[in-house]
Every structure is written in structure tokens, then in C-alpha cells.
């Protein structure tokens, strides 16, 4: 069974005001098939954690490690991490003009599998996955994320999750900006991927709302660049009632 | 769009618009419509290379096209027969010559004086027809050419002018889109590496007529195509698109002039270029003039350049002149930049290698224009041609 382990991860980013330390010693261990919710207030470093695991060049790892089955991930290129089985559903998926979604999906599938998927079964799989996410067929003819609404972009991320079949998925605020119907549809997609591929999930969210549809095995409260408290699903209920105030340094609460 | 960050060229983007200090004193430049025009070469002063319209061009390389004797004899072309379109040589005295415009610079006038016969393409089809006119045998001797494209009222056609092989050519292309017609003209330059090509395209678009004009320049040493489009009829539409890919040592230039003459006209100018290799140089000038009588105008122009390596230079100069207050909207954008890291990251995060991600982003960037041509065969061919360009110049 695969394990994704984050150990004492420290990450900074260069800003105009100088180096900013964001992650201050993160520890997490996710086994395949487990669902971990990471919950924290805005600005606590959740996206930084997601990007750092995926290898975004803006984020500088000061120390610590991220391993997949004992193999260091932090020294791998971004694409090698994806090929090793790590998937990041982005909070703000970027538009790529002129690249058709259908071509993009097939290109990604081909590099991940090491060979092109047989055309007919692939097209069928794509069209079924799109149906499951209530995406119209015409989307595959459109350019990647171009002119997509916020909700459509999120569905497209989950479509990729279902089609590309990673071992571990980091979902960065996939729930934000979705109305209830869209939230349900997207959650069902995540649950399908989880069930079908024994997916390990790192579900990053600000709100407890999505946890009604995706049931976490573990909840981590993320504050000021580190995990402040951990527990089971009951921890999410406490957050629902009490908010994050209890975890915040009184000095930093304006 | 997030792909490009405005850069150095954006900052000086307007320096050509209002004032010109060539002669050591500041004189206001006349409005774009007030430029001197003539069909006689010698009515224009000698070109020094300091003039507004020549200062970014490697004048020494094209001197013979500006001043020299040009062979204006008909050349060989191929065109498949199409119902509703005719093509053939006509005399200089033909009434259609000069309907769409008059030269604004010396090389254009030089060609005007030299051509013996004009190639006339006339569309009457109301059922959309595609016409591909190819020429590849112009040879290296300096030449002049003249083409007249006429779309009769309510006709609909796509005319593809496909150029390859050797050429040292100065030419004029006149385009008349009569009332209610819908015409697409695509000029594709895939010349031999040493080709020199200066062209002026003049277009007049009638009432409720539509012109889509596309310039695609992929190879040649100097290729300079200057389209001047006048939206003369009420409700006329002009979509002026262009894409270019300049390699080391290549100079591709396009000076676009879109003139909103009549009321309720709509104009869209969108040129995109990629540059790779030492000395690759591109120039885009976009002059939009919204005339006194052009109330209800809706106009937008943009140029974006993707610089793929050191030592390449993209000049991008939008100018917008507005002579009436009652417009719907007018705007412009110009940006020159390198790859967007976020786009590369997104693709790489899906397992796609950095090299392949770059390839996809460049092809996608230029495809935005290709996708608008509306001729599947040409679109497919251009995609392949762009891929070849990328392979050819990969570092
Ligand atoms: N590229 C960046 N440049 C400057 N500051 C950044 C950058 N990325 C994140 N930060 C800062 O780091 C902190 C954590 O950001 P982020 O990881 O996006 O938090 P979250 O996702 O929890 O809202 C914030 O204060 C944010 O402004
Ligand atoms: Mg975030």
C-alpha cells in the first residue's frame, strides 16, 4: 500500500518585501484509500502546502521532506511527480488558449500511462466521466479552461482526477465558489475516484460544508503554516460550531 | 489574459501616435487618413530609412523593391475552378484598378507603376465558396504584382493566397467587399528563406458587408504586409487577424490600418507572433482611426508576442485616433513577454514534460488565430507548419 508522507516541511516564498516563511514544520501521513481533510483559515498556508507537494517553482523548500513510498518527491520535476501518482486539483485553474481540452486530456493520459490509450475506449471513458460531472460534450472541443466559469473549472479538475487515476490527490479548495448542486456533483466525482482507484485524498478546505458529501477519515486543523490539531471527523463538527478562533494567536486576530 | 505580462514595448507604445521629432523640431503628425498618396513612385521622396513608416524596416535589404526596376509581367499561378468565382488577368486600364486604395509609400507606388496585368478574382457565389490561389515560381528577379479581389453584393467566399518559393516582390492587393457580402482573405507567406516581400493590401467594405482578413507569415528574410481597411458602408465589419513566427535573421512586419468611416461599424484587430532565434525581429503597428461620421463604432485591437529566446525583438505599436464622441467602445492592448509559468506548471502537473508543455503553449498561443480562419484544411496545414517552425528553431 502506498504512503505519502510530509515530514517537518518548511517552505518560503520570495516577495517584494523579502523572504516570507509560510510553512513552519508540516507533518502529515496519508495512506492510499484514506481521506484527510486539511482545514484552516485563509492565509494559513494551505495552498502553499499543496503547491509545494506538486512542485510549483515559486515555492522554496527550506527543509523537510515529502516522500512517496519512501522515495523523495521534492527532488523530482513537476511532471515526474505527476507521473509518480500525485495529482493537484488547483484552486485557480489557469486558462491555456488554443489548447483543446480533448487534446490536452489525451496528451496527459498518454504521458502518464507511457502509451496512448486506445482511441475508442478512451473517448467513451471521457464522455462517460463528463456525463457523470454533468459537463456538456461540447466542452471537450473548447480550449483548456478558457472562458469556463469558476464551477466549470472545478469540474474540469475533477474530470481529470477521474480520468488520470492518480494514487494521491490534493484538492485545493475544490469546494470554494460552488453552489450546492455543483458541490454535490463535484463531491460525487471525488467519491467515485476514491472508490474506483483506492485514491488517497488530501482535501483542503476552508469550510466544513463539503464534508457533508466527502467523509474524511482524519481532520487536520491548519493554522499559521503548521498542523495545530488533529483528530477524526468529530473535529470538523467542532470547527463547524466554534470556528477557528480557538486556534488563532489572540495577537493576530484583528 | 494571463499569458503575457506587458513589458518594455508597452511602455513606449504610443510614442508614434501624436508627435514626431524627426527633424529636430516637434511637429504634430497629421491624422492617419491625411497621409500623402500617389500611384507614381517619383512623387514620393527618396527613402532614407528614418521615415515613420520605414524606420523599423531593414531598408537596405529591400532597396531594389523601393527604387529599382520591377518586372511586372504576369506569373504562373494555380487555382482550382470553383462555381461562383472567376479568376484571370486583366489590363491596367480595367475599371476595378484603384477602387480600393492608392499607395501610401514608395515601394507600393513602384509596384503600381510596374505591373502589366492585374490578377482579378471575382466572387458572385451566394453559396460560400473556397478559392485557393497558389504561386511558387516568382523567382529571385525583382518583380511587381497587382491583385484585385471583388466580392459582389451578398456573395460569400474564402480566398486563400498561398505564396512559396523564391521571391523579390513588391505588390498591391485590392479588396472590394460590396454591400452585404462576406469575404475572407487569407494571405499565407511561406517563402523560401531568402525571399523579400513588400505588400500593401487595400480594402473597402460596403454596407452590412464583412471582411475577415488574415495575414500568416512563416518564412522569408523580409516580409512586410500592410493592410489598410476602410469600413466605408454603414454596419460594415472588419476582422483583421495575423500570425507570424520569426526565426533567426527574419524580419516580419505588419502595419495595420483600420479606418471606421461609416456609422455602426465593428472592427477587431488581433495579431499574434512568436519569435525565436538571434536577430528575429517583428514589427506590428496598429493604427485605428474612428472618423467623424463613424458614430456607433465598436473597435478593439490587440497584438501579443511570445519571445522564445534571447536576441529576438518584437516592436508593438498601437495607435487609436477617435474623431467622434459617439462610439460604442474602442480599446487596444499590446503585450510582449515570455512563457507564463502558471500555464507551464498546469500542464507539467499533469505529467507533461516541460519541453512538451512549451510546445503546447506556443502552438496554442498561435492557434487562437488559426482557429478563426474557418477553413479546416488550411487550419490543419498551418498547425503542421507551425510545429515544423518550432522544431526548426528549437534551441
Ligand atoms: N507567491 C506568493 N507571493 C507572496 N506571498 C504569498 C505567495 N503565496 C502565498 N503567499 C502568502 O502566504 C500566505 C499563505 O498563503 P496560501 O498558502 O495561499 O494560504 P491559504 O491557501 O491557506 O489561503 C499568505 O499570507 C499569502 O499572502
Ligand atoms: Mg488557498
Amino acid at each position: 500500500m502506498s504512503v505519502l508522507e510530509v515530514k517537518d516541511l518548511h517552505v518560503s516564498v520570495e516577495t517584494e518585501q523579502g523572504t516570507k516563511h509560510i510553512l513552519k514544520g508540516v507533518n502529515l501521513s496519508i495512506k492510499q484509500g484514506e481521506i484527510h481533510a486539511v482545514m484552516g483559515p485563509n492565509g494559513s498556508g494551505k495552498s502553499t502546502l499543496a503547491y509545494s507537494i506538486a512542485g510549483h517553482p515559486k515555492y522554496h523548500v527550506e527543509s523537510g521532506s515529502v516522500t512517496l513510498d519512501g522515495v523523495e518527491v521534492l527532488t523530482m520535476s513537476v511532471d515526474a511527480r505527476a507521473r509518480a501518482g500525485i495529482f493537484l486539483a488547483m484552486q485557480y485553474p489557469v486558462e491555456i488558449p488554443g489548447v483543446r481540452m480533448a487534446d490536452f486530456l489525451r496528451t496527459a493520459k498518454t504521458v502518464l500511462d507511457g502509451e496512448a490509450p486506445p482511441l475508442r475506449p478512451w473517448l467513451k471513458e471521457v464522455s462517460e466521466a463528463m456525463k457523470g460531472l454533468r459537463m456538456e460534450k461540447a466542452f471537450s472541443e473548447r480550449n483548456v479552461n478558457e472562458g469556463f466559469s469558476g464551477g466549470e473549472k472545478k469540474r474540469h479538475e475533477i474530470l481529470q482526477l477521474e480520468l488520470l487515476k492518480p494514487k494521491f490527490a490534493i484538492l485545493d479548495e475544490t469546494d470554494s465558489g460552488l453552489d450546492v448542486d455543483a458541490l454535490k456533483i463535484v463531491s460525487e466525482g471525488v467519491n467515485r475516484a476514491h472508490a474506483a482507484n483506492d485514491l488517497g485524498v488530501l482535501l483542503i478546505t476552508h469550510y466544513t460544508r463539503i464534508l457533508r458529501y466527502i467523509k474524511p477519515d482524519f481532520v487536520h486543523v491548519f493554522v499559521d503554516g503548521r498542523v495545530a490539531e488533529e483528530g477524526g471527523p468529530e473535529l470538523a463538527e467542532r470547527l463547524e460550531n466554534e470556528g477557528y478562533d480557538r486556534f488563532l494567536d489572540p495577537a493576530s486576530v484583528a | 489574459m494571463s499569458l503575457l505580462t506587458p513589458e518594455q514595448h508597452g511602455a513606449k507604445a504610443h510614442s508614434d501616435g501624436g508627435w514626431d521629432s524627426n527633424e529636430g523640431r516637434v511637429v504634430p503628425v497629421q491624422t492617419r487618413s491625411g497621409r500623402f498618396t500617389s500611384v507614381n513612385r517619383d512623387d514620393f521622396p527618396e527613402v532614407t530609412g528614418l521615415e515613420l513608416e520605414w524606420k523599423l524596416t531593414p531598408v537596405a535589404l529591400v532597396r531594389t523593391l523601393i527604387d529599382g526596376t520591377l518586372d511586372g509581367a504576369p506569373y504562373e499561378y494555380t487555382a482550382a475552378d470553383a462555381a461562383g468565382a472567376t479568376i484571370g488577368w486583366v489590363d491596367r486600364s480595367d475599371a476595378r484598378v484603384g477602387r480600393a486604395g492608392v499607395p501610401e509609400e514608395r515601394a507600393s507606388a513602384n509596384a503600381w507603376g510596374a505591373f502589366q496585368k492585374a490578377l482579378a478574382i471575382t466572387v458572385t457565389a451566394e453559396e460560400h465558396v473556397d478559392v485557393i490561389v497558389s504561386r511558387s515560381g516568382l523567382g529571385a528577379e525583382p518583380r511587381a504584382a497587382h491583385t484585385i479581389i471583388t466580392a459582389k453584393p451578398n456573395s460569400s467566399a474564402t480566398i486563400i493566397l498561398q505564396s512559396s518559393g523564391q521571391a523579390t516582390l513588391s505588390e498591391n492587393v485590392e479588396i472590394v467587399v460590396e454591400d452585404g457580402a462576406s469575404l475572407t482573405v487569407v494571405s499565407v507567406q511561406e517563402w523560401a528563406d531568402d525571399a523579400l516581400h513588400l505588400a500593401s493590401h487595400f480594402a473597402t467594405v460596403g454596407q452590412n458587408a464583412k471582411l475577415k482578413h488574415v495575414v500568416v507569415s512563416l518564412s522569408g528574410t523580409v516580409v512586410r504586409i500592410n493592410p489598410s481597411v476602410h469600413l466605408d458602408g454603414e454596419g460594415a465589419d472588419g476582422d483583421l487577424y495575423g500570425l507570424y513566427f520569426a526565426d533567426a535573421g527574419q524580419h516580419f512586419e505588419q502595419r495595420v490600418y483600420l479606418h471606421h468611416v461609416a456609422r455602426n461599424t465593428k472592427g477587431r484587430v488581433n495579431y499574434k507572433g512568436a519569435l525565436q532565434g538571434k536577430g528575429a525581429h517583428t514589427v506590428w503597428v496598429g493604427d485605428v482611426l474612428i472618423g467623424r461620421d463613424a458614430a456607433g463604432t465598436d473597435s478593439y485591437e490587440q497584438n501579443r508576442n511570445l519571445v522564445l529566446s534571447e536576441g529576438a525583438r518584437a516592436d508593438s505599436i498601437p495607435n487609436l485616433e477617435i474623431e467622434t464622441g459617439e462610439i460604442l467602445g474602442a480599446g487596444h492592448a499590446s503585450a510582449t513577454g515570455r512563457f507564463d509559468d502558471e500555464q507551464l506548471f498546469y500542464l507539467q502537473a499533469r505529467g507533461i514534460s516541460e519541453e512538451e508543455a512549451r510546445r503546447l503553449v506556443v502552438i496554442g498561443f498561435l492557434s487562437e488565430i488559426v482557429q478563426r480562419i474557418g477553413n479546416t484544411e488550411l487550419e490543419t496545414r498551418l498547425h503542421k507548419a507551425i510545429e515544423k517552425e518550432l522544431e526548426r528553431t528549437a534551441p
Side-chain angles (χ1 to χ4, degrees):
Chain A
M1 178 186 290
S2 281
V3 186
L4 181 67
E5 268 196 299
V6 179
K7 279 196 195 139
D8 197 25
L9 187 65
H10 291 254
V11 171
S12 65
V13 56
E14 291 308 318
T15 72
E16 280 173 14
Q17 291 80 40
T19 305
K20 179 173 169 129
H21 294 269
I22 305 175
L23 299 189
K24 300 166 182 170
V26 179
N27 292 289
L28 281 172
S29 177
I30 307 167
K31 296 198 181 69
Q32 238 186 318
E34 292 178 351
I35 299 181
H36 292 243
V38 168
M39 306 189 59
N42 281 333
S44 57
K46 303 184 298 298
S47 289
T48 302
L49 174 63
Y51 276 134
S52 301
I53 297 173
H56 195 291
K58 238 173 16 195
Y59 298 92
H60 179 68
V61 176
E62 305 277 356
S63 61
S65 73
V66 177
T67 57
L68 180 58
D69 297 332
V71 180
E72 183 58 72
V73 164
L74 293 177
T75 52
M76 295 183 191
S77 64
V78 176
D79 46 305
R81 295 178 201 208
R83 291 196 297 272
I86 298 174
F87 179 92
L88 169 62
M90 308 211 192
Q91 187 174 359
Y92 303 109
V94 59
E95 302 190 357
I96 310 183
V99 178
R100 280 171 67 239
M101 191 170 129
D103 296 336
F104 160 69
L105 291 173
R106 194 167 155 81
T107 302
K109 188 65 180 172
T110 302
V111 294
L112 290 171
D113 288 4
E115 59 181 348
L119 192 58
R120 278 179 175 268
W122 169 249
L123 291 178
K124 190 160 171 251
E125 199 182 338
V126 172
S127 113
E128 270 166 20
M130 288 180 74
K131 220 185 277 166
L133 290 162
R134 317 279 199 284
M135 295 178 81
E136 287 191 26
K137 240 187 144 130
F139 266 91
S140 63
E141 295 301 315
R142 288 174 60 178
N143 295 330
V144 175
N145 294 325
E146 197 176 66
F148 288 22
S149 71
E152 287 162 353
K153 284 181 180 165
K154 297 298 176 74
R155 286 181 211 206
H156 182 215
E157 294 296 287
I158 301 309
L159 175 70
Q160 295 170 54
L161 173 66
E162 289 197 70
L163 292 171
L164 302 181
K165 304 186 182 12
K167 288 185 193 151
F168 290 95
I170 305 159
L171 311 180
D172 190 4
E173 295 207 27
T174 298
D175 53 336
S176 64
L178 296 182
D179 61 29
V180 182
D181 292 334
L183 182 65
K184 258 187 173 156
I185 290 166
V186 159
S187 299
E188 283 166 15
V190 174
N191 288 332
R192 275 196 301 272
H194 175 245
N197 312 316
D198 199 26
L199 180 71
V201 179
L202 188 66
L203 179 72
I204 294 175
T205 181
H206 181 89
Y207 302 105
T208 52
R209 180 171 86 121
I210 194 172
L211 303 184
R212 275 177 238 157
Y213 306 103
I214 302 175
K215 295 290 173 204
D217 303 302
F218 303 93
V219 174
H220 311 262
V221 182
F222 205 75
V223 178
D224 192 24
R226 59 167 74 88
V227 175
E229 190 165 331
E230 302 180 290
E234 74 287 347
L235 186 51
E237 277 161 42
R238 272 190 74 186
L239 283 175
E240 166 105 61
N241 301 326
E242 299 171 16
Y244 293 110
D245 283 359
R246 177 162 71 88
F247 300 99
L248 296 174
D249 172 4
S252 73
V253 179
Chain B
M1 185 174 95
S2 63
L3 178 60
L4 299 164
T5 43
E7 222 195 33
Q8 65 269 25
H9 307 298
K12 61 168 195 188
H14 302 275
S15 59
D16 281 351
W19 303 87
D20 187 21
S21 56
N22 267 350
E23 290 156 273
R25 66 199 161 88
V26 177
V27 257
V29 166
Q30 80 251 64
T31 173
R32 183 61 170 79
S33 60
R35 270 196 203 168
F36 177 75
T37 62
S38 171
V39 295
N40 298 315
R41 178 191 68 193
D42 294 330
D43 291 347
F44 291 89
E46 294 287 335
V47 172
T48 64
L50 297 175
E51 300 81 357
L52 197 60
E53 66 269 33
W54 288 108
K55 67 180 185 188
L56 296 169
T57 315
V59 165
L61 290 179
V62 293
R63 179 60 73 183
T64 155
L65 293 174
I66 299 172
D67 297 328
T69 305
L70 305 176
D71 173 6
Y75 50 84
E76 267 185 49
Y77 67 87
T78 58
D81 282 335
T86 60
I87 176 165
W89 295 102
V90 300
D91 285 337
R92 287 182 62 90
S93 57
D94 192 281
R96 285 167 288 188
V97 173
R99 256 184 91 189
V102 178
E104 286 193 337
E105 40 87 344
R106 197 171 150 100
S108 169
N110 198 23
W112 199 291
F115 80 90
Q116 291 165 16
K117 294 206 177 244
L119 186 63
I121 304 164
T122 305
V123 183
T124 50
E126 297 202 2
E127 195 85 20
H128 188 94
V129 60
D130 284 12
V131 181
I132 302 172
V133 184
S134 306
R135 55 184 181 182
S136 57
L138 296 188
E141 289 308 306
R143 269 186 175 276
H146 199 103
T147 305
I148 309 167
I149 299 171
T150 313
K152 290 293 187 187
N154 304 314
S155 64
S156 174
T158 296
I159 311 286
I160 296 167
L161 306 171
Q162 176 69 49
S163 295
S164 57
Q166 281 191 304
T168 303
L169 172 69
S170 180
E171 68 171 340
N172 294 292
V173 176
E174 295 191 71
I175 301 166
V176 177
V177 192
E178 297 187 354
D179 294 351
S182 175
L183 178 69
T184 297
V185 174
V186 190
S187 179
V188 185
Q189 287 68 238
E190 289 180 286
W191 297 114
D193 285 336
D194 58 355
L196 305 171
H197 180 208
L198 303 181
S200 293
H201 290 206
F202 306 97
T204 169
V205 186
Q207 198 173 330
N208 295 323
K210 184 176 167 77
L211 171 66
K212 193 194 299 182
H213 183 271
V214 190
V215 176
V216 180
S217 294
L218 297 177
S219 52
T221 296
V222 178
V223 178
R224 180 175 126 133
I225 313 273
N226 299 347
S228 296
V229 174
H230 302 267
L231 302 178
D232 288 313
E234 190 169 339
D237 240 31
D239 289 339
L240 314 188
Y241 299 135
L243 85 85
Y244 43 94
F245 194 130
D247 302 337
Q250 293 181 332
H251 176 96
F252 295 163
E253 179 168 349
Q254 28 268 311
R255 293 173 174 266
V256 183
Y257 171 33
L258 177 62
H259 186 185
H260 293 266
V261 181
R263 299 167 69 86
N264 302 326
T265 55
K266 182 173 166 192
R268 291 288 180 270
V269 179
N270 190 359
Y271 273 66
K272 295 184 110 175
L275 299 87
Q276 182 158 324
K278 218 170 167 206
H281 185 200
T282 65
V283 177
W284 176 85
V285 178
D287 293 338
V288 172
L289 170 60
I290 300 174
R292 221 171 333 248
D293 303 323
T297 288
D298 174 5
S299 193
Y300 194 82
E301 64 164 346
Q302 62 175 322
N303 171 232
R304 295 185 191 275
N305 296 294
L306 193 51
V307 179
L308 305 178
S309 70
E310 298 294 327
R313 175 176 153 191
D315 286 296
S316 180
I317 307 166
N319 297 305
L320 183 56
E321 269 183 274
I322 305 177
E323 295 178 338
T324 171
E326 297 161 61
I327 61 168
L328 268 187
H332 61 79
S334 154
T336 297
R338 295 177 170 278
F339 282 104
D340 180 348
D341 289 340
E342 298 303 325
Q343 291 181 345
L344 293 179
F345 175 73
Y346 189 86
L347 294 170
Q348 287 177 266
R350 301 302 180 243
I352 296 166
S353 70
E354 181 175 352
E355 192 189 336
E356 175 70 4
R358 284 177 188 276
R359 208 181 64 84
L360 286 174
V361 168
V362 178
I363 291 171
F365 173 76
L366 295 175
S367 289
E368 193 197 337
I369 302 297
V370 177
Q371 288 171 347
R372 291 180 187 194
I373 291 175
N375 177 294
T376 319
E377 225 168 283
L378 179 60
E379 288 176 20
T380 307
R381 211 175 58 65
L382 286 178
H383 272 291
K384 290 207 181 103
I386 292 167
E387 300 224 9
K388 247 172 66 199
E389 279 293 312
L390 261 176
E391 276 162 30
R392 189 164 105 137
T393 57

